[in-house]
Amino acid sequence: MSCNNAFTRRSALAALAAPAFIRNAGAQAATRVTYQTGWVPQPDKGGLYQALATGLYREAGLDVELRAGGPQLNTMQIFLAGQADFVDSDSTRVLNFAKEGLPGVAVAAFGQKALTVLLSHPGSGHDTLAALKGQPLLVSTVGRQTYFPWLKARFGFTDAQARPYTFSMAPFLADKAVSMEGFLTSEPYEVRRAGVEPVLHLLSEQGYLAYSNVVVTSPKMIAERADVVQRFVDATARGWASYLQGDPRPGNALIRKGNPEMSEEKIAFARDAMKRAAIFDSPDVRAGGPGAMSHAQWNAVYEAMVAAGAMPAGVDPKKGYTLQFVNKRVGA
C-alpha cells in the first residue's frame, strides 16, 4: 500500500472483505454465544481466535461466534440492542456505562494496559510527551474521549493542537512537526514500512491508566446464564495464555483467514510488541490469571479520569464491573 493512500489502523477494505463472523466448526450441540469485536481480526484479539482455533471454546461446551467489526459499525449500539452476548470494550466505556446507568458489566479485562501510543518524527525535538505540548497532534474521535483529556490534565495539552485523525498517515509523513496517535501493534509497523523510524510514546508507560480488551456482557446474561459467562471467560483466559506463551499459529491462521491483509510479518510484530510492553501482564494477572481485575485498579482508573476532567465525581465504578468471574488463576 502506498504511504500516500488512506491508511486505517485496521483496514476498512479488510473489514469489508472479511467474513461477518468466525465460528466453531462442528459445535451445533454446544451453547451458542456471540462476541462482537471492535474491528477486523487482529493480533490484539489473538486470545479469542486462539481459543476458537484450538477448540478451547468447544471443550467448554460453547459454540462461539466471533463477529468482526468495521469502520462504520457501532458495536456498543449492537450490544445494547441485544444483538450480541458479549462485546469488546475498554475501561472508558465501562465507566461511562456506570455513569449513565446502561446495562453493561465488565466481566474480565485481558488487557491490563492501553495499547495507545503517540508517534513523533526522529530529530524533531519531540522526544518526550512534555515536548509535544502545543504541537500539532492527530487525534481520533475516540481518542478525544479517552486519553486526550488525560494529556491535557497531565501535560497541558490543548484542544487547539489537536487535529482530526482519520487513520491516514499522510499528514504525519508530510510534516515532521506533526505527531499522531496509534496502536502499539499497528501504526509503528506501518510508519516504519513508509521509511520513518518513529519516536514512540507508550501512554501506559507515562502514567496513563486504562484497561483494554475488556469483556462486557449484560446484567441479564449474568443473572440468567452465569455458567455460560464463566465458561466463556475461562476459555478466553486459556486462549490468551496459549496465544502469548505457547504456539500462536492456530490463532494467527484464523486471524489471517478473516483478515487477508494481515501478513505473517505484521502479526509477529504485533504479538512481540504486546509481549515486550507487558500489555497483558500485571501483579493482578500474576496473582489471579489472565483477565484479572481488582477494585483498586478500577478505582485508580476512575480517579485518574476524574482528575483529567473526563469523568464526573460521584460515580460508583463498581456499577460497571464485577469480579465474580475472574481472579481464579485459570490460565495462570
Side-chain angles (χ1 to χ4, degrees):
M1 180 182 294
S2 169
C3 65
N4 294 320
N5 289 341
F7 163 80
T8 60
R9 176 177 297 155
R10 304 169 179 90
S11 170
L13 291 176
L16 295 175
F21 60 84
I22 301 177
R23 188 177 171 191
N24 290 4
Q28 289 85 350
T31 301
R32 185 179 181 188
V33 296
T34 56
Y35 187 98
Q36 178 64 60
T37 67
W39 217 274
V40 295
Q42 297 266 32
D44 60 327
K45 300 292 178 282
L48 294 162
Y49 293 98
Q50 185 81 348
L52 192 62
T54 60
L56 289 169
Y57 288 136
R58 186 170 57 250
E59 290 172 12
L62 300 175
D63 174 10
V64 174
E65 177 187 319
L66 298 180
R67 292 180 178 172
Q72 305 300 326
L73 202 62
N74 187 326
T75 58
M76 289 301 140
Q77 190 175 63
I78 289 172
F79 168 71
L80 291 172
Q83 297 175 12
D85 297 307
F86 301 94
V87 66
D88 192 63
S89 190
D90 54 54
S91 51
T92 298
R93 290 188 178 97
V94 169
L95 291 173
N96 277 326
F97 274 25
K99 180 184 71 172
E100 302 294 338
L102 295 173
V105 180
V107 293
F110 291 100
Q112 299 290 294
K113 303 170 187 174
L115 289 158
T116 309
V117 295
L118 301 185
L119 297 86
S120 300
H121 285 269
S124 64
H126 298 161
D127 296 330
T128 65
L129 280 180
L132 297 184
K133 178 182 177 180
Q135 301 301 313
L137 174 65
L138 304 179
V139 184
S140 68
T141 300
V142 172
R144 287 179 178 269
Q145 301 166 354
T146 54
Y147 72 85
F148 196 68
W150 174 80
L151 288 173
K152 291 196 292 184
R154 178 75 179 271
F155 295 99
F157 283 34
T158 65
D159 290 329
Q161 73 181 97
R163 300 179 181 178
Y165 179 40
T166 59
F167 306 107
S168 169
M169 291 193 303
F172 172 79
L173 296 174
D175 188 346
K176 291 186 177 180
V178 173
S179 296
M180 65 182 284
E181 76 168 51
F183 265 16
L184 177 66
T185 52
S186 185
E187 274 83 351
Y189 176 85
E190 296 294 345
V191 166
R192 287 183 179 118
R193 287 186 66 200
V196 176
E197 185 63 38
V199 176
L200 295 182
H201 312 280
L202 181 59
L203 298 192
S204 66
E205 293 182 347
Q206 302 293 326
Y208 177 61
L209 299 178
Y211 283 124
S212 59
N213 282 294
V214 179
V215 177
V216 170
T217 192
S218 66
K220 185 175 187 291
M221 185 81 168
I222 292 172
E224 298 179 1
R225 305 174 73 194
D227 66 314
V228 174
V229 176
Q230 187 68 71
R231 283 185 280 148
F232 181 82
V233 170
D234 288 352
T236 304
R238 293 187 175 100
W240 272 114
S242 173
Y243 187 72
L244 293 172
Q245 307 303 329
D247 180 2
R249 287 178 295 180
N252 289 342
L254 209 53
I255 288 169
R256 293 197 69 192
K257 179 180 179 181
N259 183 3
E261 290 196 357
M262 264 289 159
S263 67
E264 291 184 4
E265 181 184 28
K266 186 172 183 178
I267 288 175
F269 170 87
R271 179 174 175 271
D272 289 346
M274 292 188 296
K275 292 184 69 174
R276 285 196 307 271
I279 296 299
F280 298 90
D281 188 27
S282 72
D284 288 338
V285 168
R286 290 191 288 276
M293 302 187 297
S294 67
H295 297 308
Q297 185 66 7
W298 272 111
N299 286 333
V301 171
Y302 169 67
E303 289 168 5
M305 292 181 67
V306 172
M311 183 68 58
V315 175
D316 182 2
K318 290 181 181 178
K319 292 181 178 179
Y321 70 91
T322 178
L323 304 185
Q324 176 179 348
F325 305 100
V326 292
N327 306 335
K328 301 180 181 183
R329 296 195 55 77
V330 176

